[in-house]
Amino acid sequence: MSNILIEAQGLTKEFPAGRGKKVHAVTDVSLRIHEGETLGIVGESGCGKSTLGNLLAHLLPPTSGRLYVRGEDVTDFNDRQFLKYRRQFQMIFQDTGAALDPRMTIRDIVAEPLETYRVCPTPEATTQKVAELLEAVGVSGEALPRYPHQFSGGQRQRIGIARAIAADPALIVCDEPVSALDVSVQNQILNLLGDLKKSRGLAYLFISHDLSVVRYISDRIGVMFLGRLCELGDTQDVFHRPLHPYTRFLLDAIPVPDPRRRDDKIELMKGEIPSPVNPPSGCRFHPLCPYASEECRREVPAFRDLEGRMVACHHPLKISH
């Protein structure tokens, strides 16, 4: 994982909210994704995970900050200028029904990127390639003339994955790709993504609110709260010894099938999550944090290297264990 595929420096995205207000969706996010790596992004709904994914895939322009692809600054590229990189960035979506055009056959859906990038010389070759892609994700070639509504959610997600890998990308942004599926089907899709990563050298940005899923598939994990990255580090380090209070609260909230566990001893967050339209000053987590000091209320914590990972907290060692 030595080669940096994509790098964000201080990415910020704000949306107008009327009457001169703004939604602070993503604020000052810096991270790197290496070739062949899976970076998981976790956080509660509305924390900016999907917006960050769209920024990294150059589907949204940032309000400020810089974005680099293989070392080249592409922040200000228009769609035409970014075309040389577009093929390398694909998406897998949460809603399998909405992600696949109901008026198109499975053959045409998977063939679309092949035709867009002129991968195959003839329609016959395209059809053959589509059949091979479907086979690679565990879907029979008999699916070619059928339509999305004729398949289950898990099968539709496999078809969506086949479309995503058709253009031979370097990075796939997986936006809650298994949250709408049954648990058994989730495992199948996660294993499929892992196999494709190994066989094709793929990198993933895996967005989810399910910590157990992210832990299973990710090499590193980034934790977001109200548009900011709280913590970023190796998966096992983050899970075994979180350095940010919000990370610990998320981990403590995971149900554990152990009758000896005393849930009444677990410290939970108190209060309501602030609005992204009017985020608090200083650390955005301070209204919910039992460790918050006046410094937390006044100053934004730097996103700094601590014990081999990045953390944005004025008092991280208070909770290390």
Side-chain angles (χ1 to χ4, degrees):
M1 297 193 303
S2 58
N3 295 328
I4 299 173
L5 176 60
I6 189 166
E7 180 176 2
Q9 293 184 359
L11 277 189
T12 295
K13 183 62 181 179
E14 299 170 347
F15 297 99
R19 299 183 179 180
K21 296 182 178 180
K22 300 176 181 178
V23 176
H24 301 266
V26 173
T27 304
D28 196 24
V29 169
S30 298
L31 55 79
R32 294 174 174 176
I33 302 177
H34 300 82
E35 292 182 0
E37 175 188 32
T38 299
L39 174 63
I41 299 292
V42 298
E44 296 173 83
S45 296
C47 72
K49 304 186 299 295
S50 295
T51 301
L52 176 61
N54 288 328
L55 288 170
L56 294 178
H58 207 270
L59 297 177
L60 284 175
T63 303
S64 62
R66 313 305 299 177
L67 180 66
Y68 299 86
V69 176
R70 301 188 188 279
E72 181 176 7
D73 189 342
V74 300
T75 312
D76 300 319
F77 278 20
N78 57 34
D79 289 342
R80 186 176 185 84
Q81 291 172 314
F82 194 72
L83 195 59
K84 66 178 181 178
Y85 289 121
R86 174 56 60 208
R87 180 174 174 176
Q88 299 184 38
F89 297 90
Q90 300 297 316
M91 303 281 292
I92 300 173
F93 301 96
Q94 174 182 3
D95 189 340
T96 60
L100 306 179
D101 192 328
R103 299 167 298 179
M104 297 174 66
T105 65
I106 302 307
R107 184 269 178 202
D108 291 342
I109 288 172
V110 180
E112 198 167 25
L114 298 174
E115 294 167 346
T116 299
Y117 297 110
R118 300 177 181 178
V119 175
C120 302
T122 65
E124 293 76 18
T126 298
T127 301
Q128 178 60 35
K129 181 67 174 177
V130 169
E132 293 172 2
L133 290 165
L134 291 175
E135 181 73 22
V137 299
V139 177
S140 168
E142 296 176 358
L144 288 172
R146 298 167 67 185
Y147 291 85
H149 72 272
Q150 297 176 280
F151 296 87
S152 68
Q155 289 172 318
R156 287 198 298 266
Q157 194 60 286
R158 289 176 183 272
I159 293 166
I161 293 171
R163 180 179 61 181
I165 65 174
D168 196 22
L171 173 73
I172 298 180
V173 177
C174 306
D175 192 356
E176 300 275 9
V178 298
S179 62
L181 305 177
D182 294 337
V183 174
S184 60
V185 180
Q186 285 185 9
N187 291 336
Q188 295 171 15
I189 297 300
L190 292 173
N191 289 333
L192 172 62
L193 291 172
D195 292 341
L196 292 173
K197 173 184 174 181
K198 293 177 182 177
S199 62
R200 293 173 174 266
L202 293 169
Y204 295 127
L205 177 71
F206 195 94
I207 298 167
S208 180
H209 64 272
D210 189 328
L211 284 162
S212 60
V213 168
V214 172
R215 181 178 189 177
Y216 179 77
I217 199 170
S218 301
D219 300 305
R220 291 188 300 139
I221 290 179
V223 181
M224 287 190 73
F225 179 82
L226 209 63
R228 287 188 180 273
L229 269 181
C230 300
E231 189 165 351
L232 177 65
D234 290 342
T235 298
Q236 296 307 315
D237 290 342
V238 171
F239 268 83
H240 287 124
R241 195 167 58 84
L243 293 178
H244 196 283
Y246 180 60
T247 307
R248 197 191 75 177
F249 287 131
L250 286 180
L251 295 175
D252 285 347
I254 300 175
V256 176
D258 184 353
R260 295 170 297 180
R261 171 169 161 165
R262 292 286 303 276
D263 287 344
D264 59 334
K265 298 296 184 180
I266 297 175
E267 191 172 21
L268 300 177
M269 290 187 298
K270 296 179 174 60
E272 296 291 330
I273 295 177
S275 168
V277 176
N278 186 28
S281 60
C283 175
R284 290 187 177 176
F285 186 64
H286 87 254
L288 307 178
C289 183
Y291 309 103
S293 65
E294 184 58 35
E295 182 183 20
C296 302
R297 301 178 181 90
R298 185 179 65 250
E299 298 180 13
V300 177
F303 195 54
R304 57 196 172 102
D305 188 303
L306 184 65
E307 299 185 16
R309 78 187 94 154
M310 304 299 292
V311 62
C313 185
H314 288 300
H315 312 294
L317 295 181
K318 284 187 176 182
I319 59 164
S320 63
H321 56 276

